Amino acid sequence: MKFVISLVITTLCLGLPAVAQAQHDTIQVNKIPNPIKIDGVLDEAWANAAVATDFWQYFPMDTSLAGNPTEVRLLYDDNFIYYVAIAKNRLPDVMGAYVTPSLRRDFRGEANDAVTFTIDPFQDETNAFQFGVNPFGVQREGLLVNGANGSSDLDQAWDNKWFAAAKQYKGYWIAEMAIPFKTLRYKENSRFWNAKFYRISSDGPERSSWPKVPRQYPIINLAYHGVMAFDQALKKPGANVSIIPYTLANYTENRVDVRNFQSGFSTGGDAKIAVGPALNLDLTINPDFSQVEVDQQVANLDRFEIFFPERRQFFLENADLFAGFGSDNLRPFFSRRIGIARDTATGLNVQNPIYLGARLSGKLDKNWRMGLLSMQSARDYEIAQPSTNYTVGVLQRKVFSRSNIGFIAINKQAIRDKLLEQAPYDYNRVVGVDYNLASKDNRWTGKFFHHQSFDPGSKAGKNSVSAATLSYTVVNWDFDLTVQDVGANFNPEAGFARRTDYRRAAGNFNWKFYPKKGSLQSHGPGIDFDVLGNDTYGTTDWDLNLMYNLRFRNSTILDLRLRREFVFLFDAFDPTNSGGLKLPAGTGYAYNLLRYHLVTDARQPIYADIAGRIGQYFNGSRINVEGTLNYRRQPFGIFGLSFSYNRIRLPQPYADANYILIGPKIDLSFSRSLFWTTFIQCNNQINNVNINSRLQWRFRPVSDIFLVYTDNYYSETYVNKNRALVLKCTYWLNL
């Protein structure tokens, strides 16, 4: 396996042809002496600005200019880049019926009206900033990473101060932005930046861009871009230092076993310091994450650990440098391990405070990026948990046109405490190298990596993982292949390995047809396979899928797959996870099922995202349906209902199960600065009803007051388990 991966990497490095620099559409950016008022009005300052027109349609087709024309102009002064977009409608004399999910910042979705400005100051076609605004003046910003090959490469956790306004007129709307140079990272004396403008229009619906982006790639993809040409070399931005302190008061009640009532007050904060033109130093002392939205619960019917995404702000910014190593189920570093400890008495995971942390990350120059992270978690005598240090170092080098090679080293080490002599003080370390492939035209993408863990119990030859994924995409078809070799003793304690001790081969092939007429935008068949095994048991898991995917011009999506699946149980397992009689170890089960996924038109007031399965399940049957139903009351918010139903029937003497998870959610925007979210989750599998209600007032840019209420009940009796009330204030201060 390792030889094969090494051979593939060598072949790619030596065999990639040199590609001449393509000619890109260019927009001139002229300097102005006075600031522009950001109000959504096209005043005289814009009269002599160059104009980017000829937006190309991206959806539903990519063979013509956009049906909803858009014009973009750019200017700058000593402090800001100014952007204005005139977003025209098909009907010139009618007020537009625009769509927005709410007035909350950082909106997302393919059905919302918006214009977006992407900036790549280092022209590396790999990393970029993104700023957007919709017809209601709601802002969004984010970071694009890894060449933006998919929606997961857009990180909207990044927040910063910038200014925007929008105004609606008959037949069009205008969006204006003022982006401080201090907000960006760029090289002094540069004159050319890569840029892209794109627009999402609910009329059609239609998505369009300047310049053209082929429809088989994400519209955010950084391989396809234009160029901003400044009329003068840019000066070095001034000092960029931000202090973000917080104060917090809380009250908690614990009614399980022994009643416990506590109240408290704490303070802490973050600092963001620009180090040079493209590095940022983030510091945190006594961080608090009480305002973070709770995880959406899922029915647990799996033999292995379930992955929940990171939601904490400090860990999300520049997350690709640290979390981008490995693959979804094989991550050498997973930041959610920090701040979580295991109670040695109960075996349960509990929250573990963090004393302080520091992160230095960003670009050294056009080709080099680096990251250094160190966090110190708190000791907890009640659960015999010593204070633990987590340190991660990353170095990444761009190679060829858009590929990169990265190195990572991770150290987890508990600090000795004389009052915790019985606590485990073993270290855990991981080192690794990743090669991320992205060809100039984005046809070829892939990832190749090798990681190795070290701890006192590691055994030579069984504590590493090697993997390779290679994908090829053109307009009518695409494929990808994956191979993995995971050692039995690979142990990334600060990472995420869903399972170990297996070899895996997987792949899929998809074909697409694009009808010129009718309701379908594209459709086509596909085939998918996945095989796992090891030396001890041979083949342990496999599945084969025949698929058909349909995408409609109104943005509705329907995916169907017929699946044949095999599972070998190397340990006894209860398929209901209810504590019933387990299927015996050493037995194998092959069965058939149908899976489906439906996403309806999100432009409508009522829309849904529904998925599920029906068919055989081990030695019985299972019916599953899950998803979300949403009602949008524009522009004030969304009333949603998440749900999951699993009906499992097994022959006697094995247990049956009916699992129901219901989660009503209310997300209201009273204005662009006052929001209220309430999420209720009733889960009969874990006998719990959770209520999380959060009121947020953004009293200044990126400065908030949160009031958060959390409550937990037994779902069978509705007896209270615990509750908490938190009042928190954060303030963003630029020095």
Side-chain angles (χ1 to χ4, degrees), residues 113-272:
D113 286 276
V115 292
T116 301
F117 178 24
T118 297
I119 307 172
D120 174 7
F122 280 86
Q123 297 186 290
D124 62 9
E125 300 181 343
T126 305
N127 303 278
F129 301 90
Q130 187 186 89
F131 303 89
V133 65
N134 73 10
F136 301 87
V138 182
Q139 297 170 249
R140 71 173 185 178
E141 70 267 81
L143 299 177
L144 293 169
V145 299
N146 299 326
N149 290 314
S151 60
S152 62
D153 293 331
L154 170 57
D155 174 14
Q156 287 188 280
W158 180 72
D159 281 327
N160 228 303
K161 281 189 175 182
W162 57 286
F163 308 94
K167 193 169 183 179
Q168 300 179 26
Y169 303 85
K170 283 188 177 181
Y172 65 99
W173 61 281
I174 290 179
E176 274 189 305
M177 305 181 198
I179 302 168
F181 279 107
K182 289 184 179 181
T183 296
L184 306 173
R185 302 288 180 265
Y186 63 91
K187 186 177 180 180
E188 185 180 4
N189 295 321
S190 59
R191 283 196 57 200
F192 300 97
W193 293 0
N194 290 348
K196 180 190 294 183
F197 316 126
Y198 70 86
R199 177 184 175 188
I200 301 174
S201 174
S202 61
D203 180 14
E206 181 183 69
R207 290 188 287 282
S208 57
S209 68
W210 179 96
K212 181 179 180 180
V213 178
R215 58 190 167 190
Q216 66 267 30
Y217 306 120
I219 196 170
I220 61 176
N221 187 268
L222 297 178
Y224 297 89
H225 59 82
V227 173
M228 299 165 55
F230 293 95
D231 63 347
Q232 300 177 24
L234 295 176
K235 298 179 181 179
K236 181 180 179 180
N240 186 7
V241 178
S242 301
I243 306 297
I244 313 164
Y246 80 84
T247 57
L248 177 149
N250 68 329
Y251 172 77
T252 60
E253 297 181 6
N254 187 356
R255 300 172 183 269
V256 179
D257 298 329
V258 179
R259 285 195 171 193
N260 184 13
F261 303 89
Q262 293 182 343
S263 60
F265 176 85
S266 64
T267 185
D270 299 342
K272 298 178 178 293

Side-chain angles (χ1 to χ4, degrees), residues 31 48 110 192 202 219 253 321 361 574 578 591 708:
K31 190 172 184 179
N48 297 320
E110 294 184 343
F192 300 97
S202 61
I219 196 170
E253 297 181 6
L321 261 176
S361 59
D574 170 20
S578 64
Y591 43 91
V708 183

Side-chain angles (χ1 to χ4, degrees), residues 54 210 233 239 246 286 685 694:
D54 294 341
W210 179 96
Y246 80 84
N286 191 31
Q685 186 184 21
R694 181 180 59 176

Side-chain angles (χ1 to χ4, degrees), residues 1 8 11 19 26 79 133 148 201-202 209 228 233 255 298 316-317 343 353 355 368 515 574 618 620 638 672 692:
M1 178 69 70
V8 171
T11 302
V19 180
T26 300
N79 300 310
V133 65
S201 174
S202 61
S209 68
M228 299 165 55
R255 300 172 183 269
V298 297
L316 286 170
E317 296 184 7
D343 187 332
Y355 287 143
W368 287 96
D574 170 20
F618 289 92
I638 294 175
R672 290 203 298 268
N692 181 265

Side-chain angles (χ1 to χ4, degrees), residues 451-586:
H451 304 151
Q452 189 158 340
S453 65
F454 303 90
D455 55 54
S458 63
K459 298 179 181 180
K462 296 185 178 180
N463 59 337
S464 64
V465 54
S466 300
T469 296
L470 187 63
S471 303
Y472 182 78
T473 302
V474 289
V475 64
N476 288 111
W477 59 274
D478 63 82
F479 77 85
D480 67 65
L481 295 171
T482 297
V483 291
Q484 296 174 342
D485 185 0
V486 185
N489 296 302
F490 179 62
N491 181 31
E493 289 186 7
F496 182 85
R498 190 165 180 265
R499 61 189 292 186
T500 57
D501 190 20
Y502 68 87
R503 294 187 182 93
R504 177 181 178 226
N508 66 66
F509 178 88
N510 299 284
W511 188 271
K512 284 185 179 180
F513 303 97
Y514 294 90
K516 294 183 178 180
K517 297 181 179 179
S519 60
L520 281 173
Q521 185 264 346
S522 64
H523 65 97
I527 187 169
D528 176 285
F529 72 89
D530 200 343
V531 182
L532 290 87
N534 59 30
D535 293 335
T536 304
Y537 300 105
T539 301
T540 60
D541 306 79
W542 61 260
D543 62 72
L544 179 65
N545 301 268
L546 298 178
M547 306 175 292
Y548 208 90
N549 306 309
L550 303 99
R551 186 160 195 172
F552 296 82
R553 290 177 182 265
N554 68 356
S555 76
T556 296
I557 299 172
L558 176 61
D559 295 333
L560 300 169
R561 63 172 62 200
L562 288 171
R563 183 182 185 109
R564 176 71 172 172
E565 183 173 313
F566 171 80
V567 176
F568 177 83
L569 297 178
F570 38 84
D571 292 314
F573 176 65
D574 170 20
T576 66
N577 266 356
S578 64
L581 181 65
K582 295 182 178 181
L583 298 175

